[in-house]
Amino acid sequence: MGNRIDIINLGCSKNLVDSEKLSRQLELCGYIVRHDPERIQCDIAIVNTCGFIGDAKEESINVILELASLKQSKQIKRLFVMGCLSGRYIDDLPSEIPEVDKFYGKFSWNEIVTDLGKSFQQEFALHRTITTPSHFAYLKISEGCNRHCAYCAIPIITGKHQSRPMEEIVSEVEWLVLQGVKEFQVIAQDLSYYGKDLYGEFRLAELIEKISEVPGVQWIRLHYAYPAKFPYDILRVIRERDNVCNYLDIALQHVSDPVLQRMRRNVSSKETIELIRRIRDEVPGIHLRTTLLTGFPGESEADFEALMNFVKTMRFERMGAFPYSEEEGTYSALHYYDDIPFEVKQARVDQLMEIQQQISEELNRAKIGSVLRVIIDREEGDCYVGRTEFDSPEVDPEVLISKHKILNIGEFYEVKIVDAEAFELMGEVL
């Protein structure tokens, strides 16, 4: 078992990309790598941690402690920890959990290879071992963030925004297409800022155009845009390029001006509403995904009422809501009192999601009778499970198709929608 490694990936898809690149390097060195195993079976374990919010940090610590116990009982021989939590607390964790052989920062995970006595092969730095279904992959175009929202620890963990060069990203896409990838989830902490640090101007639209021109790229989906200083030229690209999905993930967090100001979002309620309307005007049929935050310090009943009315009026196609979690070192932790009980925060989340469930069901039922292009992700029981261009993996609705015909995983089909629920569509292949 000495040449076998278990990698446990926690947190977001940006972490997953790092784990996939590490997996490839380890395989090039002769290791057999298992990803996210339910049961640890190898001599070496690597945990890629998340440190974004309290629940994620708790999960990361619990996994590390569980593996440390396995090491104490000699069920594993070596234990390495990387990722956001590791990087944020790299000065404290070694003394707290001495069973870990070494902790690595967010961007120093490649040192694991050399610490195992191997050589990191730079010529394969863009290569990855895909752990998602082989027809789609996540494509990380930048790291870090320059926005400094009051509640967010990401700039503390990852530092300033760092765009990857366009040529490097396009080369990675070309390689991934050769591996069979057809669908790309373009991800960053802040898509909107892409290019500013490298080229002196926002160049997301140009990047997406270049990616869309790579032969074999069939779907491109954009995640995590920022509303302030939004790069409006990306809307033309979404509208005109057939392989750029009519989909945009843009985290708005709130709509009340007093809350937005305390959050340091650098955008007003009026600007937010105008942005949404302009996006929908310029890209008819676009599906917007957003996330909202309840219980931020000082959020009054009137502020929350404004947020509920906003959700009812805007009728987002996709929406998630989360309770505020105070993170040490952030502006809000240093300057505000966390004055809203968790029960109230969660109740507000539940109210928003109840409104959203009704909206989602109405919007989904409006699709009954339409014909949509669907990619098949997997088989599940007596159904095939797929997604439309409006649906990102894991977070958005899926299309259930009965097995009247044999379908191929990773292929596209024209599907007539015959029924719908709040978070699922039912369809038949034409």
Side-chain angles (χ1 to χ4, degrees):
M1 303 297 286
N3 71 330
R4 295 174 181 264
I5 295 178
D6 284 321
I7 295 182
I8 301 92
N9 190 78
L10 305 173
C12 67
S13 50
K14 295 186 288 294
N15 266 14
L16 181 64
V17 172
D18 293 339
S19 292
E20 291 180 341
K21 291 191 173 183
L22 175 59
S23 295
R24 180 61 175 160
Q25 286 289 327
L26 293 171
E27 289 167 355
L28 290 169
C29 294
Y31 290 99
I32 298 170
V33 181
R34 300 169 69 242
H35 189 83
D36 280 342
E38 293 184 5
R39 185 168 66 88
I40 303 300
Q41 297 179 353
C42 302
D43 277 352
I44 302 170
I46 301 170
V47 186
N48 192 354
T49 59
C50 180
F52 182 43
I53 58 175
D55 288 348
K57 290 191 286 189
E58 182 178 359
E59 180 188 22
S60 293
I61 290 294
N62 288 340
V63 170
I64 297 169
L65 291 175
E66 181 182 343
L67 292 171
S69 177
L70 292 179
K71 189 182 178 193
Q72 281 185 318
S73 61
K74 302 188 184 306
Q75 295 180 60
I76 60 175
K77 292 182 179 178
R78 305 185 76 178
L79 173 58
F80 301 105
V81 178
M82 58 185 275
C84 292
L85 180 88
S86 179
R88 188 176 184 187
Y89 301 106
I90 201 162
D91 294 332
D92 304 320
L93 287 171
S95 60
E96 296 289 335
I97 315 177
E99 294 84 2
V100 174
D101 289 276
K102 189 172 178 180
F103 290 89
Y104 300 84
K106 168 68 177 169
F107 304 113
S108 61
W109 53 264
N110 56 335
E111 295 175 11
I112 294 176
V113 178
T114 53
D115 288 338
L116 287 171
K118 309 293 183 179
S119 297
F120 187 89
Q121 301 186 47
Q122 189 62 40
E123 63 269 33
F124 299 106
L126 298 182
H127 293 194
R128 295 150 57 180
T129 298
I130 301 299
T131 59
T132 56
S134 60
H135 53 275
F136 75 81
Y138 293 96
L139 181 68
K140 182 162 55 173
I141 66 170
S142 66
E143 287 279 12
C145 185
N146 285 13
R147 303 288 187 171
H148 298 287
C149 300
Y151 51 83
C152 185
I154 291 297
I156 299 172
I157 299 169
T158 62
K160 292 183 178 181
H161 184 100
Q162 300 175 55
S163 302
R164 295 177 60 199
M166 284 193 198
E167 297 77 11
E168 180 182 291
I169 295 170
V170 172
S171 293
E172 183 174 352
V173 169
E174 290 170 342
W175 183 83
L176 288 166
V177 168
L178 291 176
Q179 313 313 305
V181 176
K182 304 172 181 178
E183 175 187 359
F184 291 83
Q185 322 297 334
V186 179
I187 57 172
Q189 189 61 35
D190 179 6
L191 286 180
S192 304
Y193 209 86
Y194 177 79
K196 183 69 171 177
D197 53 320
L198 282 183
Y199 309 112
E201 59 184 353
F202 302 125
R203 294 178 68 174
L204 177 65
E206 182 181 347
L207 172 67
I208 300 305
E209 283 183 318
K210 288 182 180 295
I211 295 173
S212 73
E213 290 165 358
V214 175
V217 173
Q218 299 200 38
W219 272 357
I220 302 167
R221 196 175 287 106
L222 304 179
H223 286 274
Y224 320 125
Y226 195 93
K229 296 182 179 179
F230 182 81
Y232 281 103
D233 53 347
I234 190 62
L235 300 180
R236 174 188 56 78
V237 179
I238 297 174
R239 183 179 66 248
E240 294 180 356
R241 300 283 171 136
D242 290 339
N243 58 355
V244 180
C245 296
N246 282 359
Y247 180 103
L248 181 65
D249 190 336
I250 180 167
L252 298 173
Q253 307 301 357
H254 218 283
V255 75
S256 166
D257 278 326
V259 178
L260 289 171
Q261 290 166 8
R262 287 196 298 274
M263 285 182 168
R264 306 175 85 197
R265 292 287 286 172
N266 297 309
V267 68
S268 69
S269 175
K270 180 182 178 182
E271 290 167 337
T272 300
I273 293 169
E274 289 175 349
L275 169 65
I276 296 166
R277 288 176 175 163
R278 180 169 172 181
I279 292 172
R280 286 177 166 162
D281 285 345
E282 292 197 25
V283 189
I286 193 170
H287 281 43
L288 295 178
R289 162 167 279 283
T290 195
T291 50
L292 303 174
L293 188 64
T294 67
F296 189 78
E299 182 189 56
S300 66
E301 289 293 341
D303 293 326
F304 180 64
E305 186 73 27
L307 187 60
M308 285 196 295
N309 290 335
F310 176 66
V311 171
K312 292 174 184 176
T313 303
M314 291 297 107
R315 293 176 63 82
F316 292 105
E317 289 80 9
R318 313 281 182 254
M319 192 199 83
F322 304 90
Y324 168 74
S325 170
E326 183 176 274
E327 295 302 314
E328 62 182 291
T330 60
Y331 185 91
S332 60
L334 295 171
H335 294 89
Y336 304 142
Y337 173 59
D338 188 5
D339 58 344
I340 300 177
F342 177 79
E343 294 77 13
V344 175
K345 297 176 187 176
Q346 188 60 52
R348 290 176 179 177
V349 167
D350 294 342
Q351 285 179 269
L352 288 179
M353 293 312 299
E354 184 177 345
I355 295 168
Q356 182 61 28
Q357 181 169 346
Q358 181 178 346
I359 293 170
S360 294
E361 183 166 357
E362 291 170 359
L363 294 176
N364 270 356
R365 292 197 67 80
K367 291 184 170 73
I368 294 175
S370 63
V371 176
L372 301 174
R373 190 179 187 219
V374 172
I375 193 167
I376 305 301
D377 280 339
R378 66 187 185 277
E379 294 183 54
E380 195 170 279
D382 58 356
C383 290
Y384 291 102
V385 181
R387 290 173 293 106
T388 73
E389 69 170 300
F390 310 119
D391 305 305
S392 193
E394 298 183 354
V395 295
D396 289 332
E398 295 177 315
V399 183
L400 307 183
I401 304 166
S402 60
K403 290 183 177 177
H404 295 316
K405 298 179 181 179
I406 297 176
L407 306 182
N408 296 318
I409 305 302
E411 294 295 331
F412 291 92
Y413 295 90
E414 297 298 308
V415 175
K416 183 176 181 179
I417 305 304
V418 297
D419 202 357
E421 297 178 358
F423 304 113
E424 282 183 337
L425 298 172
M426 279 60 78
E428 296 177 351
V429 172
L430 297 182

